[in-house]
Amino acid sequence: MKYIFFDLDGTLVDSSKGIKASFAHTFQSLGQEIPDESVIDSFIGPPLEVSFATVVKPEDVSSAIDYYRQYYKEEGIYEVELYKGIPELLESLKQAGYSLYITTSKNEPTALQMAENLQINDYFAGILGSLPHSYHKADVIKRAIKESQADLSQVVIIGDTKFDMIGGKTVGIKTLGALWGFGKKADLIENGADFLARTPQEVFSLLQHF
């Protein structure tokens, strides 16, 4: 492996507090009842376009996304912290010569701002996220592969949800499931995780087996 694509939410950072507050604000702004917590939890990982399409009228999806992103930009982006062990992992991988990228379903400008706020942006050769016509995880991964000019056999995506595994398998790269995030172990296995890591500390040693 030479190229490592990291998911952001639930993999590098615990952003659950800000995400949940942003969803609550969105439904209040739309005049809708806030869904159960289990439903909100299921929205962490997929693109906003996909999540909102399941709970609001088709004509309200665009407004919902705007409400969410405005609140997140002003408030939610600061309600986030790096998972324990992530700074050390990034430093070790960088020193070992890996080329690191962020591939997230989060809005790309927001992902860039978050990485800068957390002072991890310098570790990454590229930070790619959701754009209006490229928001599924496979779409983002394809853009990262094109930008890095990487051979598919040299790339692994590390993520905490089935969407990361599905995206990786769709494109044809290796997948490593992060068990410390928002996703479930069973979902990661069912959707093709090649490896699983219980903690960030395990990732470096696992990569030696690829």
Side-chain angles (χ1 to χ4, degrees), residues 73-136:
K73 180 180 179 180
E74 296 174 358
E75 303 286 344
I77 194 171
Y78 301 107
E79 297 177 299
V80 60
E81 61 183 6
L82 292 168
Y83 282 109
K84 182 178 179 181
I86 288 298
E88 293 83 358
L89 172 61
L90 295 177
E91 182 64 29
S92 295
L93 294 173
K94 194 73 171 180
Q95 291 296 324
Y98 291 99
S99 185
L100 310 181
Y101 286 78
I102 289 177
T103 52
T104 176
S105 294
K106 184 183 291 297
N107 177 254
E108 187 168 295
T110 303
L112 288 162
Q113 184 62 55
M114 181 176 287
E116 291 178 6
N117 291 349
L118 294 168
Q119 298 182 334
I120 60 171
N121 54 305
D122 287 343
Y123 285 110
F124 298 98
I127 298 174
L128 296 93
S130 173
L131 296 174
H133 302 293
S134 174
Y135 52 81
H136 289 291

Side-chain angles (χ1 to χ4, degrees), residues 3-209:
Y3 301 87
I4 303 174
F5 294 175
F6 279 98
D7 175 48
L8 186 56
D9 296 311
T11 302
L12 295 174
V13 303
D14 181 357
S15 51
S16 56
K17 184 177 179 181
I19 289 174
K20 290 179 180 180
S22 299
F23 277 118
H25 169 80
T26 299
F27 290 110
Q28 290 170 343
S29 298
L30 290 172
Q32 286 190 213
E33 182 178 349
I34 300 172
D36 292 340
E37 186 171 355
S38 60
V39 176
I40 296 295
D41 287 343
S42 73
F43 293 163
I44 302 177
L48 292 175
E49 290 84 352
V50 174
S51 296
F52 281 128
T54 66
V55 289
V56 305
K57 297 175 182 178
E59 60 267 28
D60 289 337
V61 170
S62 180
S63 294
I65 292 172
D66 289 342
Y67 282 131
Y68 179 97
R69 287 181 174 160
Q70 185 62 35
Y71 181 89
Y72 197 87
K73 180 180 179 180
E74 296 174 358
E75 303 286 344
I77 194 171
Y78 301 107
E79 297 177 299
V80 60
E81 61 183 6
L82 292 168
Y83 282 109
K84 182 178 179 181
I86 288 298
E88 293 83 358
L89 172 61
L90 295 177
E91 182 64 29
S92 295
L93 294 173
K94 194 73 171 180
Q95 291 296 324
Y98 291 99
S99 185
L100 310 181
Y101 286 78
I102 289 177
T103 52
T104 176
S105 294
K106 184 183 291 297
N107 177 254
E108 187 168 295
T110 303
L112 288 162
Q113 184 62 55
M114 181 176 287
E116 291 178 6
N117 291 349
L118 294 168
Q119 298 182 334
I120 60 171
N121 54 305
D122 287 343
Y123 285 110
F124 298 98
I127 298 174
L128 296 93
S130 173
L131 296 174
H133 302 293
S134 174
Y135 52 81
H136 289 291
K137 185 53 67 94
D139 298 330
V140 180
I141 294 172
K142 288 176 182 177
R143 285 167 42 219
I145 289 172
K146 182 177 180 179
E147 180 174 311
S148 64
Q149 297 186 322
D151 186 293
L152 294 181
S153 66
Q154 299 175 325
V155 185
V156 59
I157 182 170
I158 300 176
D160 67 303
T161 72
K162 65 180 182 180
F163 300 100
D164 302 302
M165 305 301 104
I166 293 169
K169 290 302 177 184
T170 298
V171 175
I173 61 175
K174 291 290 186 181
T175 56
L176 193 160
L179 296 178
W180 61 86
F182 304 137
K184 298 180 180 179
K185 181 178 180 179
D187 287 339
L188 293 170
I189 294 173
E190 184 178 335
N191 288 281
D194 294 306
F195 292 87
L196 296 171
R198 292 172 296 177
T199 66
Q201 291 83 352
E202 288 187 355
V203 170
F204 191 82
S205 59
L206 280 172
L207 289 172
Q208 312 311 305
H209 299 290

